[in-house]
């Protein structure tokens, strides 16, 4: 559309220039006056004429005073005949300069081609351009309906197999069945077995859903049609649906194969669920997916895979038998898996001998596969920037923080006072954590700004565990408030630097009360219905299922937990103030304290 407008403007400007050009040529410089032949003769005889300019039948005159006249002679009459006829003596004509403009062919050019044909050509060109644009637009609109699915054929690209996916054992085990079927469908159909049409991969972002789907295609060595749910959603209603139709048509021509719809939640949201508004287009697309999935026989060799990290919002119709009835959950990797993933992503990256991937895996709880891949890449970049020929542990450890908290912002200039506040704040966190028996041990304290944080204290459990005890929860909550308590104790006032800690502490206390049943007053029940699955780890929508009165109790309990933890933090800060000072001094001096240096302070 923009192109059409630009073309139009260019043509318009060209047209105007041409028009101006012509009118300039035709512009009479000074209006000449028509006179009769007798008048001309009398001018001539009075010797008032300076120049005569013969332009075919038109005779132009310029008098000595500069006046301009013209008259027309007959077609066949020459000027000479005329002069003879009126008895003009030759002496008179001798004084006058006479020009005769040759009757040239260029006249045709000027009079016909330029004023008539050129504009015609312009107009034709104009129309041509316009129609081409329109036709192009129409073609594009036509192409809208085709799916944009990318196709990976066996043999193209480096093949991804299960070897490239670490961890997720159960998922791989389940998918092996699909691979078997795609490789040898007859074996299954002979026994009357029905293979699931749809497989839904569920898991947090970065757990390897997309990777695993590609690995299934790679293992089975079949074509892989890959499209993302968000690509279905277009401006025009009906486009998504026709893309789905096209996608399945293409797939059916390439059996056996896998159709993979990534980010299914973009189209597969519950219909009429308010979330995201009632989007007609999305519903049509979703309906089309359902129609297509119902429309093919189970054993033709087409397996539809989809991935989502929001299973809670998926339309139940998608999950019915015959559709995505096989659901596979990809967990966040545990220590062992993380080590495996690190191994995969250190392929082709020369590691120094003493690098222990196990140790790295231990220091990265909560990292997804994508985070770990990112970590190894960052470490390689860091090592290269430092001119090293191998990646040392140092680079990897430093990269952990970068992935966790964002890049260091060393250039951030802090005033001396700010630095001091930050040092005491972080020292507060670390000190409280150190003196609480159930708190995760401090790994590192730093006052180098990173990402959005002005400083940071990294605590990490020694071993990964699945259960958290109340005492641990409370101790971690206490240490979270350690920064706030230290600021108050040392400076007598609070800065905005503690805001994030307070938010975190409140969230922790709320979970303690409403989710884990750890409040004695409120007892063993949960409050509020959360629409989330455990592995999602974040709250999506909360529905109140308790009374106003209970709400008050909940608030009170949350405040009670926070306050008692705060008191505890303050006590520690007060009684161990000498250590607090020491940690803060060390931080101001060195900026970052590793675990060993931190522990030395207490000896
Ligand atoms: P998702 O689709 O679940 O968001 P991806 O499959 O796109 O995650 O994963 C992103 C990247 O993270 C992959 O390309 C891969 O490099 C890495 N990754 C994730 N999980 C694993 C895993 N289990 N094993 C190896 N690499 C992984
Ligand atoms: Mg993905
Ligand atoms: Zn803090």
């Amino acid at each position: 559309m923009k192109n059409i407008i630009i073309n139009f403007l260019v043509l318009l400007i060209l047209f105007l220039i041409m028009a101006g050009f012509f009118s300039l040529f035709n512009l009479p410089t000074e209006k000449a006056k028509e006179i009769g032949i007798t008048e001309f003769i009398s001018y001539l005889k009075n010797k008032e004429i300076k120049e005569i300019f013969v332009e075919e039948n038109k005779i132009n005159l310029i008098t000595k005073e500069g006046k301009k006249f013209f008259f027309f002679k007959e077609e066949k009459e020459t000027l000479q005949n005329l002069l003879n006829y009126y008895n003009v003596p030759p002496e008179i004509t001798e004084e006058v300069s006479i020009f005769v403009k040759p009757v040239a062919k260029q006249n045709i050019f000027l009079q016909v081609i330029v004023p008539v044909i050129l504009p015609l050509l312009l107009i034709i060109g104009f129309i041509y351009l316009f129609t081409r644009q329109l036709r192009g637009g129409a073609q594009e609109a036509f192409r809208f309906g085709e799916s944009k699915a990318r196709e990976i054929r066996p043999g193209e690209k480096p093949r991804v197999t299960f070897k490239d996916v670490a961890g997720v054992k159960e998922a791989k085990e389940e998918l092996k069945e699909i691979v078997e079927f795609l490789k040898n469908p007859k074996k299954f159909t002979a026994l009357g077995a029905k293979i699931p049409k749809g497989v839904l991969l569920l898991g947090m972002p970065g757990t390897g859903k997309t990777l695993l789907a590609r690995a299934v295609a790679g293992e089975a060595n079949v074509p892989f049609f890959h499209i993302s749910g968000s690509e279905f959603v277009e401006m025009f209603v009906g486009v998504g649906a026709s893309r789905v139709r096209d996608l399945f048509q293409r797939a059916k021509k390439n059996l056996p194969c896998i159709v993979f719809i990534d980010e299914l939640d973009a189209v597969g949201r519950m219909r009429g669920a308010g979330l995201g508004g009632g989007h007609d287009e999305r519903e049509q697309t979703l309906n089309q997916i359902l129609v297509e999935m119902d429309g093919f026989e189970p054993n033709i060799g087409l397996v539809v895979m989809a991935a989502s990290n929001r299973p809670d919002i998926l339309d139940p119709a998608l999950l019915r038998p015959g559709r995505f009835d096989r659901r596979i959950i990809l967990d966040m990797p545990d220590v062992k898996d993380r080590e495996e993933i690190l191994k995969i992503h250190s392929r082709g990256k020369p590691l120094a001998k003493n690098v222990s991937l196990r140790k790295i895996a231990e220091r990265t709880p909560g990292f997804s596969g994508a985070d770990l891949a990112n970590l190894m890449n960052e470490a390689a970049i860091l090592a290269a920037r430092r001119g090293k020929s191998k990646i040392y542990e140092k680079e990897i450890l430093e990269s952990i923080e970068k992935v966790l908290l964002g890049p260091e912002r060393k250039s951030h200039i802090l005033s001396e006072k700010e630095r001091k506040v930050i040092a005491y704040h972080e020292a507060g966190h670390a000190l409280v954590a150190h003196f609480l028996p159930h708190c995760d041990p401090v790994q590192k304290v730093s006052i180098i700004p990173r990402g959005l944080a002005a400083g940071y204290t990294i605590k990490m459990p020694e071993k990964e565990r699945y259960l958290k005890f109340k005492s641990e929860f409370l101790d971690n909550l206490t240490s979270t408030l350690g920064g706030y308590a230290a600021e108050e104790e040392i400076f007598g006032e609070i800065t905005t630097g503690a805001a994030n800690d307070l938010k975190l502490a409140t969230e922790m206390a709320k979970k303690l009360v409403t989710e884990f049943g750890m409040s004695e007053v409120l007892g063993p029940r949960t409050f509020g219905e959360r629409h989330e699955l455990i592995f999602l780890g974040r709250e999506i929508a909360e529905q109140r299922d308790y009374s106003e009165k209970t709400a008050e109790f909940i608030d009170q309990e949350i405040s009670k937990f926070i306050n008692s933890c705060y008191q505890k933090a303050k006590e520690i800060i007060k009684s161990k103030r000498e250590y607090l000072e020491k940690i803060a001094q060390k931080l101001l001096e060195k900026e970052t304290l590793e675990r060993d240096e931190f522990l030395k302070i207490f000896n």
Side-chain angles (χ1 to χ4, degrees), residues 226-372:
H226 175 189
I227 194 162
S228 173
S230 55
E231 288 168 55
F232 285 131
V233 183
E234 279 277 354
M235 203 166 23
F236 304 116
V237 175
V239 170
S242 88
R243 279 191 183 160
V244 172
R245 213 172 304 128
D246 183 73
L247 173 63
F248 276 86
Q249 251 162 28
R250 267 173 69 188
K252 280 178 197 165
K253 281 179 203 149
N254 288 287
L255 294 173
C257 71
I258 293 176
V259 167
F260 179 54
I261 304 172
D262 211 349
E263 289 153 53
L264 181 67
D265 36 286
V267 281
R269 286 192 170 177
M270 261 173 269
R271 283 166 289 187
L275 271 169
H279 199 301
D280 246 357
E281 164 65 356
R282 227 188 41 229
E283 290 193 4
Q284 284 200 14
T285 308
L286 175 58
N287 284 341
Q288 191 62 40
I289 292 177
L290 298 178
V291 167
E292 292 291 344
M293 289 200 70
D294 290 340
F296 67 89
E297 291 302 310
N299 286 338
I300 60 169
L302 176 57
V303 174
V304 184
M305 294 182 79
S308 171
N309 47 20
R310 306 285 305 274
D312 54 318
I313 60 160
L314 286 182
D315 196 296
L318 277 169
L319 309 176
R320 272 215 289 275
R323 292 164 185 167
F324 292 106
D325 47 1
R326 189 68 62 97
R327 263 152 279 164
I328 295 177
I329 291 176
L330 278 75
D331 287 317
M332 286 294 266
D334 62 11
V335 178
K336 226 170 73 245
D337 296 341
R338 287 201 298 272
E339 191 182 345
E340 293 297 312
I341 295 173
L342 284 169
K343 247 181 224 160
I344 285 175
H345 289 285
S346 49
R347 277 186 208 154
K349 296 190 179 79
L351 297 184
K353 270 217 183 81
N354 64 349
V355 172
S356 153
L357 291 180
R358 174 75 195 184
K359 185 174 160 196
I360 308 294
E362 279 166 7
R363 304 238 351 215
T364 47
F367 272 46
S368 70
D371 291 333
L372 293 168

Side-chain angles (χ1 to χ4, degrees), residues 395-413:
E395 276 82 36
I396 305 178
L397 291 179
E398 279 187 51
S399 302
I400 291 180
E401 278 139 50
K402 187 166 177 191
V403 173
L404 209 58
L405 301 161
E408 276 186 8
R409 293 184 308 164
K410 275 195 170 155
S411 62
H412 209 74
I413 294 166

Side-chain angles (χ1 to χ4, degrees), residues 6-123:
I6 288 173
N7 270 342
F8 180 79
L9 282 180
V10 167
L11 281 172
L12 195 73
I13 289 167
L14 259 176
F15 196 78
L16 285 178
I17 290 173
M18 292 286 278
F21 201 59
F22 283 128
S23 57
L24 209 74
F25 256 110
N26 290 343
L27 207 66
T29 37
E30 197 186 311
K31 272 247 166 84
K33 204 177 141 202
E34 186 166 6
I35 50 171
I37 293 179
T38 42
E39 247 179 297
F40 159 62
I41 299 297
S42 64
Y43 271 128
L44 200 61
K45 285 186 176 162
N46 291 341
K47 296 189 178 177
E48 279 179 56
I49 299 289
K50 194 173 120 204
E51 267 176 32
I52 296 175
F53 180 61
V54 184
E55 210 178 351
E56 288 184 67
N57 294 330
K58 191 181 174 191
I59 316 288
N60 300 285
L61 316 166
I62 297 175
T63 63
K64 285 181 179 159
E65 284 166 22
K67 281 187 183 158
K68 289 184 178 174
F69 299 106
F70 70 90
F71 66 93
F72 289 98
K73 66 176 175 58
E74 272 174 75
E75 181 89 40
K76 287 186 184 115
E77 208 75 74
T78 62
L79 184 64
Q80 200 51 53
N81 286 346
L82 217 64
L83 296 178
N84 292 343
Y85 183 81
Y86 283 102
N87 294 322
V88 180
E91 315 86 76
I92 290 180
T93 43
E94 261 164 28
E95 281 177 32
V96 181
S97 24
I98 297 175
F99 305 96
V100 178
K101 193 178 174 192
V103 190
K105 296 249 160 50
Q106 85 198 53
N107 265 357
I108 293 173
F109 177 77
L110 270 177
Q111 285 171 357
V112 181
I113 295 186
V114 174
V116 179
I117 296 182
L118 226 83
L120 210 71
L121 278 177
L122 256 172
I123 288 167

Side-chain angles (χ1 to χ4, degrees), residues 425-426 429 480 483 497-498 501:
H425 177 110
E426 294 307 328
H429 284 305
T480 304
D501 292 340

